[in-house]
Amino acid sequence: MAASGLLEPILVTGGTGMVGQNLREHPALSGARLLMPGRAELDLRDAAAVRAYMQLHRPATVIHAAGKVGGIQANMRDPAGFLIENLDLGRNVITAAVEAGASVVLNLASSCIYPRDRTTLLREEDLLTGPLEPTNEGYALAKIAVLKLAAYLDAASEATSLKSVIPCNLFGRHDNFKPASSHLLPAIIQKVHGAIQTGAESVEIWGDGTARREFLFATDFADAVVHCLQNFDAMPDLMNIGLGFDYSINEYYQTVADVLGYAGGFHHDLDRPVGMARKVVDVSRLDAMGWKPRHDLKQAVGLTYEFFLRSAV
Ligand SMILES: NC(=O)c1ccc[n+]([C@@H]2O[C@H](COP(=O)([O-])OP(=O)(O)OC[C@H]3O[C@@H](n4cnc5c(N)ncnc54)[C@H](OP(=O)(O)O)[C@@H]3O)[C@@H](O)[C@H]2O)c1
């Protein structure tokens, strides 16, 4: 065991993504023996290449954070692509890690795997108890199949312990700020920043802004992942990682305005779609592991804005 409390070397798939980059920046991982091959070095769809990579490097810890990820439009356009790629990636990484004798495998699922119709906090036991949200069903089915595969191999393997976490929505440093494909928080930061630049008196909000969303800061998510790995024996086989509460869209806009110093107003376009139903994960299992987020919403928005400004230069 290294000074970080983690078993090294550590392979992070999806190292160029938001989660991968936030893991790389975690203090416990600076100085750790990290393997973060990009797609050009290792295309995770290629099972033989993944197997050869694992046999060569023999990671002790594998964090599977790669995935084909996209918004509603992309998911609706190509459900087969989201299903096949995420299934292939998960299967290739997890089976090769077990074959190569990794000690620990942590697989990342997503809270979209829960039934669509729940109005209560989403508990891990709710998995597979109702129909999925149709707009991202292909993606969710792949995530469910991979976490089940991890659970089956965990039961069958002497040498490898495999567990999965279910993150809620994430935002933060290394987020996607491209206007055409960004998610809620980076899109709000873009819009409010743009309004400051142009001196606009008002920023448009789609719908009435009362819809609620749970977003965890990606730096905190990376910290939760490290905490899980440092306490892997105590960690449940399947665990939500989130805040356990949410904010309204209006609250997100107001917080961004406060942090960025935008003094203008907001107006609502009530003809625009409001989107999905409320979805908040239950964090009882995470609480029991003694982990709490380190940043409140204002701090998280401030650090994300700093990153946005620096990367826009
Ligand atoms: N962001 C969220 O709100 C959120 C919420 C819940 C769960 N998650 C899960 O967390 C994980 C990481 O998400 P993220 O936000 O970091 O996504 P992201 O920024 O889109 O990063 C995805 C990563 O996967 C890599 N990847 C995809 N296909 C690959 C392939 N064939 N070979 C090698 N690498 C490949 C990408 O590499 P390229 O750069 O080369 O494409 C990128 O590094 C995903 O499994 C996602 O489902 C994310």
Side-chain angles (χ1 to χ4, degrees), residues 16-32:
T16 56
M18 177 170 71
V19 167
Q21 289 295 312
N22 278 277
L23 280 166
R24 185 197 286 277
E25 290 175 352
H26 192 283
L29 296 187
S30 77

Side-chain angles (χ1 to χ4, degrees), residues 39-106:
R39 185 194 290 260
E41 183 183 350
L42 179 61
D43 188 332
L44 300 169
R45 291 171 299 184
D46 182 343
V50 175
R51 195 174 301 123
Y53 186 94
M54 293 277 189
Q55 292 294 334
L56 181 65
H57 295 282
R58 303 261 170 192
T61 298
V62 175
I63 305 172
H64 179 43
K68 180 175 167 68
V69 178
I72 291 183
Q73 301 299 336
N75 268 277
M76 285 172 70
R77 255 196 321 271
D78 185 22
F82 278 84
L83 195 156
I84 292 167
E85 277 198 35
N86 285 303
L87 207 50
D88 284 354
L89 264 55
R91 176 187 164 162
N92 293 344
V93 169
I94 285 171
T95 54
V98 172
E99 276 171 31
S103 301
V104 162
V105 176
L106 186 68

Side-chain angles (χ1 to χ4, degrees), residues 12-22 37-46 50 64-70 85-86 88-89 107-112 139 143 165-171 174-176 183 214-216 218 221 241:
V12 181
T13 66
T16 56
M18 177 170 71
V19 167
Q21 289 295 312
N22 278 277
R39 185 194 290 260
E41 183 183 350
L42 179 61
D43 188 332
L44 300 169
R45 291 171 299 184
D46 182 343
V50 175
H64 179 43
K68 180 175 167 68
V69 178
E85 277 198 35
N86 285 303
D88 284 354
L89 264 55
N107 168 54
L108 268 55
S110 162
S111 57
C112 71
Y139 174 77
K143 290 280 183 191
V165 291
I166 307 176
C168 71
N169 300 312
L170 307 172
F171 80 102
H174 307 282
D175 216 325
N176 167 16
H183 292 150
E214 179 186 20
F215 272 91
L216 177 64
F221 177 71
I241 297 185

